Amino acid sequence: MKDFFEKAAFQDHPLRVLESFLQREEAYEKSKQYERMRFVGYVLEIGYDTITIITSDPFKIAVGGIPRNSLLIMVPSNYKSLPPHFTLLRVLEAAPTPLSNEVQQTYFELQKKSMPELDVFTQSELQWGALKTAVLGMFYSHPSELNKVEFSGDLNNFVSAHKYRVYAPDNELLDLIVNSMVPQDSRFPIGDLRLTECRMFLPDKPSPNVKVYVSTKDFMGTRTALFGKTRLGKSNVVKLIAQSLIETTGESRNVGQLIFDINGEYANDNPQDNNLSLRSVYPDKCIIYAITPKDATPSRPLKINFYEHPEKAQSIIKSLLEQDGKLSSSYVSRFTSVELPSLEEVAKLPVGPDRIRLLRKIQIFWAILKKAGYSVNERQLLSVAPTGGNTSRFNPGFSDSVRNAAYQSCGINAPLQINTLDELIRELECINKLRRTNPRLCVTSSGNNLFDADDEALLEFLDPLPGRAGAALIQPYRIYNDSSAGDFINEIIQYLDSGMTVILDLGNANPEVMSYFSNELSMAVFRHQVNKFSNNRLGNHYIQLYFEEAHNLFPQSGDVTTIYSRLAKEGAKYHIGMVYSTQSPTTINKDLLAQTENFFVAHLSSRDDVNLLAKVNIAYDSLKDDILQAKTVGYLRILTRSHRFVVPVQIRKFEPTQKGVADYAL
């Protein structure tokens, strides 16, 4: 009666598949159906880290082959008298047997004598070989939770080698091995188990047919790395991760996602490659912000207010002029060499001469923008601009004597006040004319020069000599300016708080522009989450950030105080997750690598890359050669918080899922 109740309680246990598997193996053996067995061989040498097994050609053929890195299980021969459990092994390489020298001698003699056939006894001797395997851990029944399996990365004990048998697991056991540690309530299919790159299988011996799942909880508030050479499927994995979070959090909406799309592939479809974008699959859950709107993709403008951010605008203009090869003229290079302060820096200075001089530089820059046709809301600009102590924030603060002399040189009367940017342009052009024709009048009350080198560089660009383009040179860059920009940051934060996926379409944008948006929004997200943390309002809400070309943001040796370094080190505390991708691990900051929890690794071509990967995570040590050799698109080795060992996966292509949101709800 006791056995009956124990068996009844075991009916729904995950390890029931092990018992059924071993019972079938026993039945096949008794009925001599050896070709149907999954038996691989016996243990030759056993240890805590590695196990050497002996096998033969018929065994290997019966299971469809034993490729390197394939998964095997080791069970006690007397499994019926023990609690259900098995040891998981990964095949590393061929190993010598005690008869290796004799076998080689036999082969040598056979080839030397050119014997056409082997006798049956010699064949029997030569078909045996050995394989070295790594011990990945043990699966056994959870000691305190019913109908649950537990995995340990070590062995609690082992006995003599002859008391074990080794099998190639079937699909049911492989599903248990790969997916039993992934929580049921947040699962998402990422692809299919693929133990080897080679797809040539023995007749009537199909490849494993096992779906691989990931837990979307593993990505929330953690760091996820995607490594691999270009065109091997990293972007497809990014789409799948974003898709998994959209679908599994559909009702709770507790994860907002921000994707910095530097190639425009997540915001826009690519019909040429038959690739769908995230937006086209989830139009009601994705918001697109674009610098250059696409006709087929609804989007909001992603621009910078050049007037309100002169320090960033000047840097962007310099980069654009340099990119277009327009820095050859000395007056242009002098203009771009000027470093402008921010409005906040000026506002922090006490009212006085220093503040007036700094503000004047910004005002000349405003005049250049206005003359080049950059749109501006002057009323809004007046509300945010600091004052130099004058009644108008557009007043550059020249003395009455200088102003009168300047306007007199232009043949017009000096206005009492400067109230518009057009009036500012006129005054600065008159002042510049006076500076050129009568520089002795352009002095301060103490007799010093009124303008420094930066002032003169700005004025020469605003009011150039005949034959020079001046402000007209920067007219093509007006597309990056928006007088109403600035609120988009708060808009995006609100969308993220509501569980939306926001995609910044930065395709074809200048690197300086991309850097600006990445930096500004990353800082905004960080400050927002820190504020929520300080006020105990984080709750169960997370924000997920996606970065491509991560080596530009997280260089191997760089400033550890940047916002990206803070995100890498402190983001988890503030419920900020990161997904970053790059072609080479050696280009990424080692601190970030050491703190990364999830890895998706495609083909790498550098020995240095795989060695560093193995140093960062020892689980990849035995897979280095395979990563160097396998180049199939979408063939990745994944390791997440839920997976205790690396799983080789053929990643599925991103497309709308068959299940509805409710089927994945947390």
Side-chain angles (χ1 to χ4, degrees), residues 167-338:
Y167 298 88
D170 61 6
N171 286 338
E172 287 185 305
L173 271 171
L174 285 172
D175 180 67
L176 171 72
I177 290 168
V178 172
N179 296 315
S180 63
M181 294 172 286
V182 180
Q184 291 282 350
D185 61 351
S186 59
R187 282 188 172 191
F188 189 83
I190 197 74
D192 298 306
L193 181 67
R194 183 173 179 175
L195 296 175
T196 176
E197 185 183 28
C198 180
R199 293 192 294 178
M200 189 189 80
F201 301 100
L202 298 179
D204 302 321
K205 302 296 180 182
S207 62
N209 183 18
V210 178
K211 286 192 178 300
V212 177
Y213 293 86
V214 293
S215 170
T216 53
K217 290 182 178 178
D218 289 345
F219 305 125
M220 294 158 59
T222 64
R223 286 135 295 212
T224 301
L226 282 74
F227 298 133
K229 305 301 287 184
T230 186
R231 304 294 293 176
L232 289 178
K234 296 192 298 295
S235 298
N236 184 66
V237 176
V238 170
K239 291 180 183 178
L240 289 173
I241 293 175
Q243 180 184 42
S244 71
L245 288 166
I246 289 173
E247 297 212 357
T248 58
T249 62
E251 293 181 1
S252 61
R253 303 180 73 89
N254 67 319
V255 178
Q257 302 185 91
L258 178 59
I259 302 175
F260 297 96
D261 187 4
I262 63 175
N263 295 312
E265 56 193 313
Y266 307 114
N268 309 287
D269 293 341
N270 185 356
Q272 188 175 11
D273 291 340
N274 196 26
N275 288 336
L276 294 174
S277 66
L278 274 168
R279 186 212 61 83
S280 63
V281 175
Y282 301 100
D284 57 333
K285 296 181 175 65
C286 294
I287 303 294
I288 310 299
Y289 281 81
I291 292 177
T292 306
K294 313 294 190 301
D295 293 338
T297 305
S299 62
R300 290 172 166 79
L302 185 63
K303 311 272 186 174
I304 305 172
N305 190 323
F306 276 43
Y307 291 88
E308 294 185 10
H309 302 282
E311 75 290 357
K312 295 181 176 68
Q314 174 72 335
S315 178
I316 291 170
I317 288 173
K318 177 182 180 180
S319 177
L320 294 171
L321 287 170
E322 185 175 15
Q323 175 183 284
D324 293 342
K326 295 179 179 179
L327 295 184
S328 56
S329 298
S330 60
Y331 85 100
V332 179
S333 60
R334 287 181 61 204
F335 161 68
T336 57
S337 68
V338 176

Side-chain angles (χ1 to χ4, degrees), residues 313-387:
Q314 174 72 335
S315 178
I316 291 170
I317 288 173
K318 177 182 180 180
S319 177
L320 294 171
L321 287 170
E322 185 175 15
Q323 175 183 284
D324 293 342
K326 295 179 179 179
L327 295 184
S328 56
S329 298
S330 60
Y331 85 100
V332 179
S333 60
R334 287 181 61 204
F335 161 68
T336 57
S337 68
V338 176
E339 293 186 5
L340 295 173
S342 66
L343 298 183
E344 291 77 13
E345 288 180 71
V346 175
K348 290 178 182 178
L349 293 174
V351 175
D354 291 340
R355 181 168 177 170
I356 291 174
R357 279 192 289 270
L358 273 185
L359 180 57
R360 184 181 293 153
K361 289 177 172 55
I362 294 176
Q363 290 167 335
I364 301 174
F365 182 70
W366 286 345
I368 292 171
L369 296 177
K370 177 67 174 177
K371 191 172 182 179
Y374 284 64
S375 62
V376 60
N377 184 330
E378 295 192 14
R379 180 176 298 179
Q380 177 182 315
L381 184 59
L382 284 171
S383 67
V384 299
T387 176

Side-chain angles (χ1 to χ4, degrees), residues 505-570:
D505 183 358
L506 304 172
N508 300 323
N510 178 270
E512 193 71 32
V513 177
M514 286 193 284
S515 175
Y516 168 79
F517 284 118
S518 297
N519 193 67
E520 287 296 303
L521 281 164
S522 296
M523 286 196 296
V525 167
F526 188 80
R527 287 194 297 263
H528 181 66
Q529 292 299 99
V530 169
N531 181 61
K532 287 165 64 175
F533 175 82
S534 303
N535 292 282
N536 197 26
R537 291 189 293 107
L538 278 177
N540 191 38
H541 189 274
Y542 293 81
I543 291 180
Q544 199 78 6
L545 303 179
Y546 294 80
F547 299 107
E548 292 187 297
E549 305 297 338
H551 52 273
N552 294 325
L553 305 178
F554 309 97
Q556 190 176 44
S557 59
D559 186 359
V560 296
T561 63
T562 65
I563 182 59
Y564 305 108
S565 296
R566 296 198 67 185
L567 285 171
K569 294 179 180 179
E570 307 172 49

